[in-house]
């Protein structure tokens, strides 16, 4: 069989499909981490209230519980499958690789989800109707169950970066895929930051308390939780970074903008400062302030983190064998997986793809640009927008160059050989490279296509491409 | 799209257990999911009916059904994760292609579902005392129902497009020009969708029979209200059920040629007979509904009938794809992984069984506890579970701790091996 398993491509011209996934994933991280953190925080508060006879803390749980129900379980439970949906349409073979390796783990997580949902409804609706010890036990079950959902997903997220054990490639097996140094480092980091998010979002509820003494007591606890978890998260982040594979380190050094590290430090420091202020002056904590803090955390904390994670695993999207453009690029004998690259080299991309339109299987002068567009869609658009907006627009990398021969030469030199570290190897045949170059040349702005080369326009070369990549971000 | 092309799309990693296991789980969890969806739609419709009524029983029912609908959405979403998982495992070439070809709707599904759910919550917040006070902002509930039906329609189309691989190329590149926008909904069957929506009437009827029995057990419903519920439930089950069967028959009569075999499939016929038994059961049981567990048996039989419908639906998909298109979902390459397989079944059967058993027992008994619900006229005494139930709770906590310890222990072993 000479076919490769590429699906049709979905291209979203406004913000591109990759960012759609990113946005949904980021929002989900906020909801899911907050819900897990709040579940554990609830259980702690319930234990404290029970031991110290402080029923007012149970009132906090009731109020926060209702908010949590909507905030986390309405939105979290939808955006969770939403990540599946968005990756299904943006990166079907990436999600398929995860699904087929971890189906039982996800099914196990599903058992915990069901328990979690029953638990949270009981915590809210049976508060005051069942005895305190039973309510406490349900809070503990809810907390433990919530945390298990994080335990399950962490290994899958780590596999996206790198299979847990190198021997997975030779032996296969779920355990080798799931457990690695990165798994536990990421678990520690996400656990810490999950409490940070809980403390920030919890402020929205605490801000509404009328009793200043009680408000101060709750705010103080949330603030300490936030400060300690942020500091712990910063330390865990260092651990996490040290567990990243070498290629990820190289990509980070070359791809992430210089401002990334200082921005991250500034965000962490700002979070600590925010908690210090709300602890010092609880009256400053209003629902509006807490809401703004949540949005700031989402935009300046979670979004860059998710973007960085997405970038670091390039050129792969899952398990270091599925390229971001969905081509399987490596043999995994332990799973019976063979690379598709040799097939593409032998027969070309047009002949091997299932969804190549019949009229584009043979390249002619008349369909050359159309073939190029098809190739760009299927091999480039996962990471490079084909329009002027969205994720890393393809046209920007060629500086308005309209010389088809030069572009084709670059494609053959940098992509067909796999010479660019974070880019997939795309073995283009000569006529395919020519067609793709024709299409890329057509993306140049009209004013650049009319005359002589424009001053400053850069001919893309294998060496220059990474620099362009850096500036385009 | 020939068989070679379809197999080329299949994930090369294989699957970690026999495909039949996933197929059976897919059927079972789809049935549970669709039951929750149907309760959600039926309860939502009853909320609206009650909200526009001045009759106290309708108002009271509307308030109860609003809570039911809210929880049913959550349950439908959570349970729906399982069939969504298993369809990707077995039918990945079909599911992914169908989704990509309608990608904009797939993303829209998420947004619309959030909007529909939030609208329901908005209505709930606007009407904290729906039983006694005039309904406000009923447009929110109407909007919610409309949006929930729309997401159901999207899901129907995605499932239906899977069955038309011979059309995919044309949908992706009409007249040879690629349309990568994912903006189209390409294939649908109004009768098939209508059948699953119409089943909401008998399923909700069966649910009401159980609610009535529950209230009776808790001593929480006056005779007039219980009689009102009984009348309504019978009306939803028998005429509503027959209507659903008529729509189902219409679906079978209008099947496209390549699916015509399904009209006489013994699986579908058995499912329809079971549905007929379920909808006639309250009438057949008569006074027995007042006693023991018979009041709950109707929903139980209804659930079995839904499992039969889900199985028939799967037979249609499997037979069509293997017979007409040459793709056998049951010949998936197996990369057997005993650890993850056993982890799931032990977690599901032991931990899930004990913990959910504990939680649902507490929830049930707290509701049945006389005086446990002050809003229903009882005293405010709290419910304290028996020692046996509490022991179950301790077991639940213990099992969860053991699970977490096992997670780290196995991880450590894997790391040092």
């Amino acid at each position: 069989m000479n076919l490769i398993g590429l699906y049709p491509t979905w291209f979203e011209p406004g913000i591109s499909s990759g960012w759609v996934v990113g946005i949904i994933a980021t929002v989900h991280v906020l909801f899911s981490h907050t819900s897990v953190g709040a579940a554990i925080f609830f259980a702690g508060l319930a234990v404290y209230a029970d031991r110290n006879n402080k029923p007012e803390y149970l009132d906090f749980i009731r109020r926060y519980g209702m908010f949590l129900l909507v905030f986390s379980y309405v939105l979290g439970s939808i955006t969770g499958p939403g990540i599946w949906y968005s990756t299904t349409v943006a990166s079907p073979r990436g999600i398929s690789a995860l699904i087929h390796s971890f189906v039982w783990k996800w099914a196990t997580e599903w058992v915990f989800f069901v328990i979690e949902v029953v638990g949270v409804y009981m915590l809210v609706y049976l508060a005051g109707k069942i005895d305190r010890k039973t309510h406490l036990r349900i809070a503990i079950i809810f907390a433990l169950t919530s945390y298990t959902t994080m335990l399950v997903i962490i290994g899958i997220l780590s596999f996206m970066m790198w299979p847990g054990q190198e021997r997975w490639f030779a032996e296969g097996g779920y355990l080798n895929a799931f457990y690695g140094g990165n798994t536990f480092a990421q678990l520690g980091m996400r656990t810490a930051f999950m409490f940070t998010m809980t403390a920030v979002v919890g402020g929205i509820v605490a801000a509404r308390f009328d009793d200043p003494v009680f408000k101060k007591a709750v705010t103080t606890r949330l603030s300490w939780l936030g400060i300690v978890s942020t500091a712990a998260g910063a330390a865990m982040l260092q651990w996490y970074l040290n567990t990243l594979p070498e290629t990820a380190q190289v990509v980070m050094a070359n791809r992430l903008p210089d401002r990334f590290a200082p921005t991250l430090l500034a965000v962490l420091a700002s979070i600590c400062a925010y908690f210090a202020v709300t602890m010092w002056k609880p009256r400053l904590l209003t629902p509006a302030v807490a809401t703004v803090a949540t949005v700031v955390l989402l935009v300046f904390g979670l979004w860059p983190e998710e973007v960085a994670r997405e970038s670091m695993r390039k050129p792969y999207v899952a398990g270091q064998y599925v390229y971001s453009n969905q081509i399987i690029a490596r043999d995994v004998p332990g799973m019976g997986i063979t690379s598709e690259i040799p097939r593409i080299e032998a027969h070309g991309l047009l002949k091997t793809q299932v969804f190549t339109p019949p009229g584009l299987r043979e390249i002619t002068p008349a369909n050359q640009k159309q073939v190029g567009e098809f190739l760009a869609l299927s091999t480039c658009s996962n990471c490079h927008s084909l329009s002027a907006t969205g994720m890393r627009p393809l046209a920007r990398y060629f500086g308005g160059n309209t010389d088809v021969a030069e572009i084709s030469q670059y494609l053959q030199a940098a992509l067909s050989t796999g010479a660019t570290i974070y880019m997939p190897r795309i073995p283009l045949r000569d006529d395919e490279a020519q067609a793709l170059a024709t299409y890329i040349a057509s993306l140049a702005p009209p004013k650049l296509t009319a005359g002589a080369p424009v001053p400053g326009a850069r001919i893309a070369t294998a060496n220059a491409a990474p620099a362009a990549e850096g500036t385009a971000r | 799209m020939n068989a070679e092309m379809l197999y080329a799309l299949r994930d090369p990693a294989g699957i970690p257990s026999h495909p039949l296991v996933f197929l059976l789980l897919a059927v079972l969890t789809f049935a549970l999911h669709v039951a929750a969806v149907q309760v959600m739609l039926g309860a939502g419709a009853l909320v609206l009916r009650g909200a526009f009524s001045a009759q106290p029983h309708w108002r009271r029912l509307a308030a109860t059904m609003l809570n039911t609908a809210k929880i049913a959405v959550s349950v439908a979403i959570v349970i729906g994760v399982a069939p969504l998982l298993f369809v990707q495992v077995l039918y990945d070439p079909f599911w992914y292609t169908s989704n990509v070809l309608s990608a904009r709707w797939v993303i829209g599904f998420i947004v619309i579902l959030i909007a529909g759910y939030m609208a329901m919550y908005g209505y709930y917040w606007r009407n904290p005392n729906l039983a006694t006070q005039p309904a406000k902002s009923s447009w929110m509930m109407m909007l919610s129902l409309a949006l929930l039906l729309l997401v159901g329609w999207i899901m129907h189309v995605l499932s239906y497009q899977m069955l038309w691989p011979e059309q995919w190329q044309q949908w992706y590149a009409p007249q040879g020009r690629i349309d990568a926008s994912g903006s189209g909904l390409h294939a649908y069957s109004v009768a098939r969708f209508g059948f699953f929506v119409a089943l909401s009437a008998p399923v909700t009827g069966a649910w009401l029979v159980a609610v009535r029995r529950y209230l009776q057990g808790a001593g929480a419903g006056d005779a007039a209200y219980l009689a009102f519920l009984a009348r309504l439930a019978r009306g939803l089950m028998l005429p509503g059920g027959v209507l659903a069967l008529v729509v189902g028959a219409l679906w079978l009569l209008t099947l496209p040629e390549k699916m015509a075999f399904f009209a006489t499939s013994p699986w579908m016929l058995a499912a329809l007979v079971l549905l007929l038994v379920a909808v006639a059961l309250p009438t057949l049981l008569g006074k027995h509904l007042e006693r023991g567990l018979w009041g709950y048996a109707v929903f139980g039989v209804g659930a079995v009938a839904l499992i039969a419908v889900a199985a028939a639906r799967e037979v249609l998909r499997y037979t069509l794809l293997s017979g007409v298109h040459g793709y056998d979902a049951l010949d998936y390459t197996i990369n057997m992984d005993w650890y993850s397989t056993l982890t799931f079944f032990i977690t599901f059967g032991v931990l899930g069984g004990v913990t959910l058993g504990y939680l649902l027992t507490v929830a049930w008994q707290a509701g049945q506890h006389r005086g446990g619900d002050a809003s229903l006229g009882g005293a405010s005494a709290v419910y304290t579970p028996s020692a046996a139930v509490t022991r179950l709770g301790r077991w639940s906590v213990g099992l969860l701790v053991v699970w977490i310890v096992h997670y780290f222990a196995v991880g450590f072993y894997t790391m040092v091996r």
Side-chain angles (χ1 to χ4, degrees):
Chain A
M1 186 166 68
N2 293 323
L3 295 170
I4 61 171
L6 290 191
Y7 286 95
T9 307
W10 169 50
F11 174 61
E12 204 295 308
I15 57 172
S16 56
S17 56
W19 279 7
V20 173
V21 177
I23 291 168
I24 294 173
T26 304
V27 171
H28 176 68
V29 167
L30 178 70
F31 296 143
S32 59
H33 283 33
T34 299
S35 70
V36 177
I40 296 169
F41 187 60
F42 275 5
L45 270 184
V47 170
Y48 180 83
D50 183 59
R51 286 188 183 157
N52 298 285
N53 195 25
K54 296 236 180 223
E56 64 270 24
Y57 280 76
L58 293 177
D59 184 56
F60 176 80
I61 292 175
R62 271 192 289 275
R63 293 183 70 167
Y64 196 10
M66 194 62 210
F67 177 68
L68 178 80
L69 200 63
V70 178
F71 186 78
S72 298
Y73 283 89
V74 174
L75 300 175
S77 66
I78 298 173
T79 52
I83 296 178
W84 269 359
Y85 282 121
S86 57
T87 48
T88 287
V89 293
S91 180
R93 295 187 96 191
I95 191 66
S96 177
L98 301 180
I99 292 280
H100 285 84
S101 279
F102 298 108
V103 50
W104 286 132
K105 211 64 190 177
W106 256 312
T108 304
E109 191 185 22
W110 172 77
V111 176
F112 293 126
F113 281 146
V114 175
I115 298 172
E116 225 185 340
V117 166
V118 174
V120 77
Y121 276 111
M122 288 179 66
L123 272 182
V124 174
Y125 287 115
L126 294 184
K129 296 174 183 172
I130 54 178
D131 70 296
R132 205 187 288 178
K133 292 281 183 197
T134 304
H135 195 265
L136 175 64
R137 187 165 293 114
I138 294 170
I140 291 170
I141 288 173
F142 178 53
L144 290 172
T145 310
S146 292
Y147 196 60
T148 53
T149 63
M150 177 174 277
L151 294 179
V152 172
I153 200 64
I154 284 294
I156 301 174
L157 292 176
S158 296
F159 178 83
M160 286 166 70
M161 178 71 71
W162 198 270
Q165 305 296 321
E166 183 67 22
R167 60 179 178 265
W168 175 78
F169 291 104
E171 297 174 11
Y174 154 82
L175 289 174
N176 289 333
F178 192 88
Y179 288 110
N182 183 259
T183 314
F184 292 113
Q186 189 170 180
L187 177 64
M189 181 181 71
R190 285 188 183 267
T191 301
F193 286 135
M194 148 191 112
F195 283 117
T196 306
M197 289 176 227
T198 303
V200 173
V201 178
I204 297 175
V205 176
R208 294 178 188 277
F209 286 123
D210 298 326
D211 178 359
V213 177
F214 183 54
K215 181 177 177 179
K216 183 171 175 53
V218 173
T219 306
T220 302
R221 276 172 177 74
L222 285 173
S223 298
W224 274 119
L225 178 71
I227 291 170
V228 171
S229 62
T230 306
M236 296 287 182
L237 176 64
Q238 288 307 311
W239 180 24
Y240 171 75
L241 293 174
N242 287 331
T243 64
L244 291 176
E246 193 183 353
T247 54
Q249 306 277 7
V250 173
V251 171
M252 272 183 71
N254 288 285
R255 289 281 309 276
L256 295 180
D258 294 340
R259 64 178 184 277
F260 182 78
T263 305
L264 196 61
L265 280 174
V267 168
L268 294 175
S270 303
I271 291 171
C272 286
Y274 167 76
F275 286 125
V277 169
T278 55
M279 182 158 46
W280 176 46
K281 295 271 186 196
R283 65 181 171 78
L284 294 177
L285 184 68
T286 64
V289 168
T291 305
V292 169
T294 303
V295 174
V296 168
L297 182 71
L298 185 72
V299 175
F300 295 104
L302 295 180
W303 174 253
E305 184 269 332
E306 288 297 313
V307 170
R309 204 166 57 84
E310 186 266 342
S311 299
M312 282 188 291
R313 63 176 191 262
K314 292 284 182 283
Y316 297 99
V317 75
Q320 295 288 303
Y321 76 95
V322 183
Y323 270 158
S324 47
N325 64 10
Q326 312 289 289
I327 290 169
I328 291 175
R330 179 173 180 172
D331 290 340
V332 185
M335 301 294 286
I337 296 169
T338 52
S339 169
E340 291 173 339
I341 298 290
R343 259 174 283 168
I344 298 171
E345 284 177 323
H347 305 285
L349 274 161
L350 293 175
K351 299 271 172 42
T352 51
Q353 286 197 59
V354 169
F355 284 95
T356 305
L360 304 185
R361 287 188 180 273
E362 299 292 339
I363 303 174
T364 66
N367 71 6
Q368 197 172 38
K369 186 180 151 195
Q370 209 186 335
V371 168
E373 183 179 12
F374 172 70
L375 290 171
L377 261 177
S378 57
T379 59
C380 311
S381 70
N382 273 64
C383 300
H384 296 285
S385 172
L386 304 187
S387 70
T389 57
M391 183 187 276
R392 310 178 194 112
L394 188 59
R396 284 191 204 166
Y397 291 79
F398 296 88
N401 188 10
T402 57
D403 188 323
V404 171
E406 281 182 356
I407 297 173
S408 177
Q409 189 186 355
Y410 162 72
L411 294 174
Q412 293 283 48
L415 297 186
S416 294
T417 58
T420 311
I421 188 167
Y422 50 81
M423 293 279 282
R425 182 178 170 212
I426 306 175
L428 293 160
R429 297 163 76 88
D430 291 345
D431 54 350
E432 290 174 340
Q434 191 81 4
L436 182 55
T438 304
Y439 172 70
I440 290 171
S442 76
L443 295 175
K447 63 177 182 178
L448 298 175
T449 58
V454 171
R458 181 179 51 78
I459 296 169
T461 65
N463 291 333
E469 182 87 351
T471 55
R473 286 185 56 81
Chain B
M1 190 66 54
N2 59 36
E4 187 195 6
M5 290 168 158
L6 293 171
Y7 276 99
L9 295 171
R10 180 182 269 189
D11 196 291
I15 52 178
S17 295
H18 194 281
L20 191 60
V21 179
F22 295 109
L23 198 75
L24 293 174
L25 285 171
V27 168
L28 187 66
T29 53
F30 174 78
L32 293 173
H33 164 68
V34 89
V37 168
Q38 284 155 350
V39 168
M40 168 193 91
L41 290 175
L46 290 176
V47 171
L48 275 180
R49 171 69 180 83
F52 289 115
S53 171
Q55 216 267 351
H57 287 158
W58 268 112
R59 308 285 306 186
R60 182 172 166 184
L61 180 67
T64 307
M65 287 297 110
L66 184 51
N67 271 329
T68 303
K70 277 193 300 147
I71 295 173
V73 182
S74 278
V75 173
I77 292 168
V78 169
I79 294 183
V81 169
L84 181 63
L85 176 64
F86 298 130
V87 77
Q88 292 178 78
V89 170
L90 286 183
Y91 292 109
D92 43 337
F94 304 87
W95 178 251
Y96 292 133
T97 304
S98 174
N99 274 252
V100 173
L101 293 175
S102 298
R104 203 173 277 181
W105 290 95
V106 174
I107 301 300
F109 176 94
I110 305 157
V111 179
I112 296 166
L113 182 54
I114 289 174
Y117 203 1
M118 294 309 286
M120 191 181 286
Y121 262 98
Y123 184 70
Y124 169 71
W125 283 322
R126 291 282 292 152
N127 296 281
N129 300 305
L130 194 57
T132 53
Q133 291 177 356
K136 287 179 279 191
S137 307
S138 292
W139 63 268
M140 282 188 174
M141 194 64 208
M142 284 189 259
L143 178 69
S144 173
L145 264 184
L147 293 177
L148 292 174
L149 276 170
L150 179 57
V151 294
W153 175 254
I154 295 171
M155 201 42 63
H156 158 73
V157 173
L158 294 176
S159 303
Y160 199 65
Q161 288 178 170
M162 290 172 69
L163 307 180
W164 297 92
E166 69 271 36
Q167 299 283 337
W168 292 346
Q169 186 66 263
Q170 174 60 22
W171 294 339
Y172 184 45
Q175 282 83 51
R177 301 287 305 184
I178 289 173
D179 175 9
S181 70
S183 58
L185 291 176
H186 306 281
Y188 49 83
S189 161
V190 175
R192 175 174 159 148
F193 179 66
F195 173 58
F196 281 96
V197 172
L199 280 175
S200 300
V203 170
T204 309
W207 181 258
L208 285 183
V209 172
V211 168
R212 180 181 174 278
R213 182 69 190 86
Y214 180 84
L215 291 175
Q216 210 178 23
D222 57 82
Y225 184 60
L226 293 179
F228 162 76
L229 286 181
R231 275 196 310 277
L232 181 61
R234 266 199 303 274
L236 284 171
M237 285 212 73
L238 204 52
V242 170
L243 177 70
L245 287 171
V246 169
V247 179
L250 189 68
W251 171 34
L252 296 181
L253 289 172
T254 56
L255 283 168
E257 193 183 340
K258 71 173 187 174
M259 299 178 196
F261 68 90
F262 188 59
T264 52
S265 157
W267 289 87
M268 190 57 196
L269 296 177
L272 291 178
V273 168
L274 268 170
L275 278 175
L276 202 57
V277 170
V279 300
L281 199 57
T283 309
L284 295 174
L285 286 173
K287 292 285 181 193
H288 286 288
L289 285 177
E290 314 287 330
R291 290 192 284 272
L293 295 174
W294 286 108
Y296 304 114
V298 176
F299 196 77
V301 173
V304 172
L306 278 183
I307 291 171
V309 171
R313 171 183 173 272
E314 191 55 59
V315 165
L316 168 62
R317 177 161 59 188
Y318 174 79
T319 312
L320 176 74
L321 297 183
S322 59
V324 177
H325 297 286
Y327 181 93
D328 186 353
L330 293 180
D331 67 5
Y332 222 114
T333 305
I334 302 170
N335 269 323
M336 191 65 210
D337 189 274
W338 283 106
Y339 171 77
S340 65
T341 305
L342 289 174
T343 302
F344 166 71
F345 280 104
I346 292 171
T347 305
F348 180 67
V350 180
L351 191 152
V354 170
T355 308
L356 282 171
Y358 169 69
L359 292 176
L360 295 175
T361 304
V362 169
W364 176 274
Q365 292 187 347
Q368 292 275 295
H369 178 67
R370 287 182 190 276
D373 190 340
S375 68
L376 297 171
S380 60
V382 297
Y383 158 76
T384 304
S386 67
V389 175
T390 300
R391 204 174 306 124
L392 207 57
R394 286 201 204 100
W395 269 98
S396 304
V397 174
L399 285 170
L400 279 163
V401 171
V402 167
W403 198 97
I404 292 171
V405 170
H406 126 274
Y407 172 94
F408 285 103
V410 170
F412 182 71
Y413 166 76
T414 306
M415 299 277 286
V416 299
R417 185 165 77 87

